Amino acid sequence: MKRPTISDIAAEAGVSKGAVSYALNGRSGVSEETRQRILTIADRLGYQASMAARALAGTRARVIGMALPRPPATLGIEPFYMELISGLEAELSLHGYGLLLQMVPDESEEITCYRSWWRESRVSGVLVCDLRVRDRRVKALGEVGLPAVAIGPPSAAGSLASIWSDDGVSMIEAVEYLAALGHRRIARIGGIPQLAHTAIRTDAFLAVGRRLGLAATIASTDYSAEDGARATVRLMEMAAPPTALIYDNDIMAIAGLSAIREAGLSVPGDISIVAWDDSPICPLLDPPLTALTRDIGAYGRHAARLLLAAVQGAGVKDVHDEPALLTPRGSTAPPRVSDETAV
Amino acid sequence: MKRPTISDIAAEAGVSKGAVSYALNGRSGVSEETRQRILTIADRLGYQASMAARALAGTRARVIGMALPRPPATLGIEPFYMELISGLEAELSLHGYGLLLQMVPDESEEITCYRSWWRESRVSGVLVCDLRVRDRRVKALGEVGLPAVAIGPPSAAGSLASIWSDDGVSMIEAVEYLAALGHRRIARIGGIPQLAHTAIRTDAFLAVGRRLGLAATIASTDYSAEDGARATVRLMEMAAPPTALIYDNDIMAIAGLSAIREAGLSVPGDISIVAWDDSPICPLLDPPLTALTRDIGAYGRHAARLLLAAVQGAGVKDVHDEPALLTPRGSTAPPRVSDETAV
DNA sequence: GATCGTTACTGAACCGAGAAAGTACGCCAG
DNA sequence: CTGGCGTACTTTCTCGGTTCAGTAACGATC
């Protein structure tokens, strides 16, 4: 099969290529009558402009690039990325944009990847995930001038526009909820400390802990199930162990649940647990996990809109999405009475 | 920043664009000395060929397209796709290929998507997932002549080369294992019946059930947690309910586990369960799920290799990957004695 | 009725590569 | 000394769009 080109249409309509281009792009320079004739022919021929030719001629390639941190044993399990991509893609394809995906092992490779994309004119913009506290990618993207939007707090996004939800208020909500149940010793099993949102959650956790006069402990992990379980065990071995745990993702919460049971304790009888980012699995577990829920798909859609605006050269400003809300389920309950007063 | 082109290199080396093109593509027509000089300059300038220009000139776009069925509430949870994409991408980026992702709501839209990709010269090949029993996509792809490789049984792939693992032998292994434990009434909670691999699993399930003289029941679902739970409840309400269940994915197995507990029964005491496709969550549950394990990443890598060969016009033949192997864990045990003899 | 402005186009250049055809030169054989 | 051939290039064309500089036709204006 041969694909129809702009010249085919021009020949059939008896006009020049230029006229066809004007007609198809809705620009002035052709009469309404001619435009309609050209559009009809284009439609009949099933014409679609070649992206390669279009990109070469200087118009945008209509592709958005996204580099994903290669699985630190977690990418595949957390539904976060798939849901994000799903929302992202829904909005992009609405505007005829494609999504180019690439897995990268580390930050340097990611920067190399962006440089390559730019030099090859592969993408018209990129979406940056997992902002770090001091993120080298921001500067690198600025240097090549590739339009970009970051997912994460504006404080870490530097010159890039960012889309974010306030993890601080969600953390406060979770801690206040646990405190209201009567918990006095709580711990946070956080993700990779270098990530900007991890830092924000940690700060909020410590601040609200101080305000409420709680014993607040923090453990850092790489988001993996193993690390989550290890951290849980360490916390349970403390002299005055926490009675409630807040995990930074659901896979660690599940691993933690399993570790707690192995230690002969029960959830929520002995220990309450909360997972960050609700997944369809959370309500199915025994007990169902109390979780911080947010609409990740919407997050992706908003990110796409912001990025498309940036690609089109519009001045874009940070977008603040809804924060995650607490969904209380069976994994949280008041602590045993003996624990209630001690700190 | 301006990106360096082939002309920049030509100017700097004092030769023509043509010579540079020969040198960079390792073709004859330039002296070894000139080639080295050109390569050095290209390297210093950080040159990479523009994909747009390359694609336009007829060489391949070095992009592989993949259309994903939009979440029937399951895409995000099952780690299958993410792991597949991860393996796929690892191999593709090794060869300088990108992966273009698109979510599609149904088969017609998917075909429309392929046609668009082809007309726009967006991709050099596509990977087709979730083969159906009679798959319209096979014919559509053949019509436009877009190189394609299917993931699924060759019987459904028609003219497309396919990469597959024999789900039949895995099913036989699982059923024989349950029969060896003493189960006589087993059920399969299958996925979408139209999918080719679902049909293969079902056929194998029934065949081995007959051979071993078991009461073998089948339920069909859309892979969602809700459907999995519903099917489980229906099966438990049978006059002579099954003592072992084989789920087509882990999310349904988890939902089933929850439904069984709600009915006041225990796993594996009253009912044994097996999940297809092991995920990092399976071993963490209580009890840990017995699962059919396979290396999905390798599956993706092999698919990528096959597709790259197809794109380069090599004659490709079907590739048979390792079948999933049973990983016995705590969710399977012999049935209660009272159940053992009855059929 | 000459001038101006607008509309509706045409023709050609251009983007950055690949590929084919053309050319200059050196070398060797007859 | 000429013809033929291979090497090492250069020139030119092409891919399929976009864009810009013309230009012909026409109506309005002074």
Side-chain angles (χ1 to χ4, degrees):
Chain A
M1 239 205 225
K2 194 192 159 302
R3 90 194 84 223
T5 72
I6 206 169
S7 302
D8 297 335
I9 300 178
E12 188 145 346
V15 296
S16 68
K17 292 193 327 177
V20 176
S21 177
Y22 290 144
L24 293 175
N25 293 302
R27 299 178 38 174
S28 64
V30 277
S31 65
E32 197 48 41
E33 187 199 327
T34 311
R35 184 192 304 279
Q36 284 310 324
R37 191 158 42 92
I38 289 174
L39 288 178
T40 309
I41 294 172
D43 200 48
R44 180 160 49 76
L45 262 44
Y47 170 83
Q48 275 178 265
S50 152
M51 274 302 147
R54 201 172 245 180
L56 184 56
T59 328
R60 310 279 48 182
R62 288 176 184 261
V63 176
I64 293 303
M66 185 170 166
L68 291 177
R70 197 183 294 263
T74 162
L75 184 62
I77 313 110
E78 286 187 274
F80 178 83
Y81 280 106
M82 255 308 183
E83 283 185 41
L84 182 74
I85 290 173
S86 174
L88 198 59
E89 218 286 317
E91 188 70 22
L92 289 179
S93 64
L94 230 53
H95 298 85
Y97 273 70
L99 178 66
L100 191 67
L101 221 63
Q102 171 117 6
M103 310 276 174
V104 288
D106 56 46
E107 198 176 34
S108 318
E109 286 287 322
E110 189 171 338
I111 291 175
T112 306
C113 170
Y114 292 147
R115 287 235 170 79
S116 285
W117 278 348
W118 170 73
R119 285 198 287 233
E120 297 174 316
S121 303
R122 253 190 205 276
V123 301
S124 4
V126 301
L127 196 74
V128 179
C129 297
D130 279 345
L131 275 183
R132 307 230 162 69
V133 178
R134 254 180 313 282
D135 206 304
R136 289 169 47 213
R137 297 173 294 176
V138 173
K139 180 152 160 282
L141 283 166
E143 278 169 15
V144 294
L146 200 52
V149 161
I151 295 196
S155 56
S159 52
L160 303 183
S162 75
I163 171 131
W164 65 300
S165 62
D166 193 338
D167 283 4
V169 311
S170 305
M171 179 56 89
I172 292 171
E173 186 187 2
V175 173
E176 284 180 343
Y177 162 78
L178 291 172
L181 284 177
H183 293 275
R184 288 286 163 268
R185 296 189 309 276
I186 61 181
R188 148 168 169 76
I189 291 89
I192 301 171
Q194 287 78 23
L195 297 183
H197 70 264
T198 304
I200 286 180
R201 293 180 189 181
T202 294
D203 290 350
F205 178 77
L206 293 175
V208 67
R210 237 183 343 259
R211 174 161 61 80
L212 299 177
L214 307 176
T217 316
I218 291 193
S220 286
T221 68
D222 62 3
Y223 285 118
S224 71
E226 295 73 29
D227 238 21
R230 256 195 301 274
T232 306
V233 170
R234 267 204 315 276
L235 289 167
M236 288 189 300
E237 285 168 350
M238 288 171 65
T243 58
L245 305 175
I246 302 178
Y247 291 87
D248 244 1
N249 69 4
D250 54 358
I251 182 80
M252 289 198 295
I254 296 171
L257 176 60
S258 166
I260 292 168
R261 288 228 173 96
E262 251 171 59
L265 298 176
S266 81
V267 174
D270 297 300
I271 301 187
S272 289
I273 69 180
V274 176
W276 201 300
D277 272 343
D278 203 2
S279 86
I281 289 180
C282 291
L284 297 174
L285 295 175
D286 180 32
L289 293 190
T290 295
L292 284 156
T293 313
R294 59 180 164 168
D295 188 346
I296 301 171
Y299 210 47
R301 286 196 297 280
H302 297 159
R305 263 180 234 151
L306 198 61
L307 185 48
L308 290 178
V311 165
Q312 277 144 32
V316 293
K317 49 182 201 300
D318 300 332
V319 171
H320 189 169
D321 245 30
E322 291 296 305
L325 292 177
L326 191 80
T327 305
R329 297 205 186 91
S331 68
T332 42
R336 291 202 189 287
V337 180
S338 59
D339 284 325
E340 264 188 44
T341 49
V343 168
Chain B
M1 239 204 225
K2 197 195 157 298
R3 91 194 84 226
T5 72
I6 205 170
S7 302
D8 298 333
I9 300 178
E12 189 145 346
V15 295
S16 69
K17 294 191 332 174
V20 175
S21 177
Y22 290 143
L24 293 175
N25 293 303
R27 298 178 37 177
S28 65
V30 276
S31 64
E32 197 47 42
E33 186 200 328
T34 311
R35 184 191 305 277
Q36 284 311 325
R37 191 157 42 93
I38 290 173
L39 288 178
T40 307
I41 294 173
D43 201 48
R44 180 159 50 77
L45 263 45
Y47 170 81
Q48 274 179 267
S50 151
M51 274 303 147
R54 203 173 242 179
L56 184 56
T59 328
R60 310 280 50 183
R62 290 177 183 261
V63 175
I64 294 303
M66 185 169 167
L68 291 178
R70 197 183 295 261
T74 161
L75 184 63
I77 313 111
E78 286 188 275
F80 179 84
Y81 280 106
M82 255 307 183
E83 284 186 40
L84 183 74
I85 290 173
S86 174
L88 197 57
E89 218 285 317
E91 188 71 22
L92 289 179
S93 64
L94 231 52
H95 298 85
Y97 273 69
L99 177 65
L100 191 67
L101 221 63
Q102 171 117 6
M103 310 276 173
V104 288
D106 57 44
E107 198 176 34
S108 320
E109 286 287 321
E110 188 171 337
I111 291 175
T112 306
C113 170
Y114 292 148
R115 287 234 170 80
S116 284
W117 279 349
W118 170 73
R119 286 199 288 233
E120 297 175 317
S121 304
R122 252 191 207 274
V123 302
S124 6
V126 301
L127 196 74
V128 180
C129 296
D130 279 344
L131 276 182
R132 308 230 162 66
V133 177
R134 255 179 314 281
D135 205 305
R136 291 168 47 214
R137 296 173 295 176
V138 173
K139 180 151 160 281
L141 283 167
E143 277 169 15
V144 295
L146 200 52
V149 160
I151 294 196
S155 56
S159 52
L160 302 183
S162 73
I163 172 131
W164 65 300
S165 62
D166 193 338
D167 283 4
V169 312
S170 305
M171 179 56 91
I172 291 170
E173 187 188 2
V175 173
E176 284 180 343
Y177 162 77
L178 291 172
L181 285 177
H183 293 275
R184 286 286 163 270
R185 297 189 309 276
I186 60 181
R188 148 168 169 76
I189 291 89
I192 301 170
Q194 288 77 22
L195 297 182
H197 71 264
T198 304
I200 285 180
R201 293 179 189 182
T202 294
D203 291 350
F205 178 78
L206 293 176
V208 67
R210 241 186 339 263
R211 176 161 61 78
L212 299 177
L214 309 176
T217 316
I218 290 193
S220 286
T221 69
D222 63 3
Y223 284 118
S224 70
E226 296 72 30
D227 238 21
R230 258 194 301 276
T232 305
V233 170
R234 269 204 315 278
L235 289 167
M236 287 189 300
E237 284 167 351
M238 289 171 65
T243 59
L245 306 175
I246 302 178
Y247 291 86
D248 245 0
N249 68 7
D250 54 358
I251 182 80
M252 290 199 294
I254 296 171
L257 176 61
S258 165
I260 291 168
R261 288 227 173 98
E262 249 170 61
L265 299 176
S266 80
V267 174
D270 298 300
I271 300 187
S272 288
I273 69 180
V274 176
W276 201 299
D277 271 344
D278 203 1
S279 86
I281 290 179
C282 292
L284 297 175
L285 295 174
D286 179 32
L289 292 190
T290 296
L292 285 155
T293 313
R294 61 180 161 165
D295 188 347
I296 301 170
Y299 211 47
R301 285 195 298 280
H302 297 159
R305 262 179 235 152
L306 197 62
L307 185 48
L308 289 178
V311 166
Q312 277 144 32
V316 293
K317 50 182 202 298
D318 300 331
V319 171
H320 189 167
D321 246 28
E322 292 297 306
L325 292 177
L326 191 80
T327 305
R329 297 204 186 92
S331 70
T332 42
R336 292 204 188 286
V337 182
S338 60
D339 285 326
E340 263 189 42
T341 50
V343 168

